[in-house]
Amino acid sequence: MTAVTAQANAVPTVAAARRKLAERFRNAGFDSPDLDARILVGHALALDHAALAAQAERPLSKQEADAVTALAERRLNREPVARIVGVREFWGLPFKLNRETLVPRPETETVVAAALAMLGAERGRPLLIADLGTGSGALLLALLAELPAARGIGTDISLGALACARANAIALGFANRASLVACDHGTALGGGFDLVVANPPYVARPEIADLPSEVREHDPHRALDGGPDGLSAYRAIVTDARRILTPRGILVLELGAGQLDAVRRLAADAGLASTIRHDLAGIPRALAVTVLP
Ligand SMILES: C[S@@+](CC[C@H](N)C(=O)[O-])C[C@H]1O[C@@H](n2cnc3c(N)ncnc32)[C@H](O)[C@@H]1O
């Protein structure tokens, strides 16, 4: 056997598999090739970050190398890493996902931060929270983690999403403070909510076809489709806000790009005052809404 053939047939080590994957992802133009490679190799080998480092020079078995290759192919077909591994971190907590849940986005953490800032000294009270369109339960459970005396209800029209949110509530230890309800936005809820949050579907239907394939082909359509102008869910939620909220209650809505003025107008038409919250990139990302006396 020549030296070249021997090298080609050499069994890659854990570190070499990571490097090779990162290089393929870099060549494919991915934003975070090294991170994607680390997560996928770790997932294929069932190794956490520390174990990956400790076993860096261990050669892969044929079965392990095949498992890495299979995940690499899925990623190169533009499947998001969170979909492949079935979990995504949000507000420092791990959220399991399924086919009916949106992958929680970092910018949605602006909604949590805005809600906590608005609550201020009220944070220790036994608040009642609603999360409309809860998906994986990201907003509701992040808030329950920060508000130890609060209870909350998450709603969704997707039973699959509600099952996922329920599993996350149990796994994260919030099952006794979180309820999940199938309904259209807040229609099945009574009043008396101190805080209502929502990251509603807000993509204008004609624009869904132009979304990157990572989003268009892997996030559920129901989580994206905001109706003909992207504002259908905002209309429904804002119109119902006065009924659901306590008189001093707060509604915090995530905004899609370019939707600030339209959503502010909807809020004003419903007799609500609003304050803008920006994300880390300085984009108006959340609208905090209160009921005008
Ligand atoms: C953009 S996703 C947000 C999910 C989650 N809150 C998050 O931030 O990751 C919107 C969610 O609203 C749900 N949804 C869509 N239309 C709805 C409706 N009419 N009533 C209740 N939930 C709805 C979708 O199933 C999806 O889970």
Side-chain angles (χ1 to χ4, degrees):
M1 192 186 290
T2 65
V4 172
T5 317
Q7 202 177 18
N9 289 339
V11 184
T13 60
V14 171
R18 271 177 68 176
R19 276 196 302 275
K20 186 174 161 205
L21 221 60
E23 191 185 328
R24 290 183 74 191
F25 293 165
R26 198 169 292 111
N27 291 341
F30 292 176
D31 288 341
S32 50
D34 294 299
L35 180 64
D36 290 7
R38 170 163 70 74
I39 295 173
L40 292 182
V41 171
H43 187 67
L45 306 183
L47 297 178
D48 64 16
H49 195 178
L52 275 177
Q55 299 184 27
E57 297 313 317
R58 170 171 81 70
L60 300 187
S61 69
K62 162 96 174 57
Q63 204 177 8
E64 287 176 328
D66 288 348
V68 170
T69 303
L71 297 193
E73 293 311 321
R74 286 173 65 180
R75 182 67 191 112
L76 288 164
N77 281 327
R78 305 277 157 180
E79 186 170 347
V81 169
R83 288 271 166 230
I84 298 172
V85 302
V87 64
R88 177 62 180 250
E89 191 175 297
F90 180 83
W91 203 258
L93 301 170
F95 284 86
K96 293 201 184 86
L97 306 172
N98 68 20
R99 294 177 64 83
E100 296 194 38
T101 53
L102 184 90
V103 175
R105 308 296 207 264
E107 59 269 23
T108 300
E109 294 188 351
T110 307
V111 174
V112 181
L116 295 175
M118 295 283 291
L119 287 171
E122 307 281 287
R123 285 173 62 164
R125 282 207 305 119
L127 301 164
L128 185 58
I129 305 172
D131 174 15
L132 311 182
T134 195
S136 60
L139 284 172
L140 175 65
L141 301 176
L143 285 164
L144 291 181
E146 296 292 336
L147 304 168
R151 287 175 302 118
I153 302 180
T155 73
D156 211 290
I157 45 163
S158 158
L159 295 180
L162 289 169
C164 182
R166 187 168 293 111
N168 282 325
I170 293 167
L172 296 171
F174 300 120
N176 58 342
R177 294 196 285 135
S179 309
L180 295 149
V181 173
C183 72
D184 201 14
H185 305 299
T187 49
L189 306 180
F193 286 87
D194 303 290
L195 172 65
V196 176
V197 291
N199 171 20
Y202 55 58
V203 183
R205 197 168 294 151
E207 290 168 18
I208 290 177
D210 301 328
L211 292 171
S213 70
E214 265 108 334
V215 178
R216 193 184 62 239
E217 288 173 22
H218 296 285
D219 278 318
H221 190 85
R222 273 197 288 218
L224 304 173
D225 185 358
D229 61 356
L231 299 172
S232 298
Y234 293 114
R235 268 189 207 95
I237 293 169
V238 162
T239 307
D240 208 20
R242 194 178 276 274
R243 182 187 70 80
I244 307 175
L245 289 169
T246 62
R248 294 182 56 224
I250 303 159
L251 165 66
V252 184
L253 296 168
E254 176 161 332
L255 299 169
Q259 290 178 319
L260 172 63
D261 291 341
V263 180
R264 287 197 96 169
R265 252 194 318 275
L266 290 175
D269 291 349
L272 306 166
S274 53
T275 327
I276 306 159
R277 301 282 165 160
H278 295 83
D279 67 15
L280 290 175
I283 296 169
R285 182 59 68 186
L287 198 64
V289 176
T290 49
V291 177
L292 286 169

